[in-house]
Amino acid sequence: MAKIDAAYAQRMEQSRRDMLTRHDPETVAGLMNAAARMWRSERQIIETRVRNALQEMTA
């Protein structure tokens, strides 16, 4: 997950810089916060699926 997190962080920083050329900083900050919340939710789903799959394999 660390590699995925690092790649995601890099893409988000590139997106943030790109959006700052077209939008005000407050709007960009709001969008980035929303994206971060969505990523945390997705990450939790992925971790749960992996954990469940591992439990099934060992059962």
Side-chain angles (χ1 to χ4, degrees):
M1 277 311 280
K3 285 183 182 181
I4 294 170
D5 287 339
Y8 175 79
Q10 183 179 17
R11 286 192 312 274
M12 289 306 293
E13 179 58 23
Q14 290 169 346
S15 293
R16 186 187 71 79
R17 283 192 222 129
D18 180 53
M19 285 191 289
L20 282 171
T21 65
R22 295 178 272 137
H23 303 288
D24 64 279
E26 186 177 328
T27 299
V28 173
L31 292 169
M32 297 306 289
N33 286 335
R37 283 191 306 274
M38 289 183 344
W39 171 245
R40 283 191 297 272
S41 295
E42 287 296 319
R43 192 175 194 283
Q44 287 174 343
I45 291 167
I46 292 166
E47 288 174 345
T48 300
R49 288 180 179 168
V50 168
R51 194 171 29 256
N52 290 344
L54 289 172
Q55 286 175 351
E56 286 179 16
M57 291 174 60
T58 59

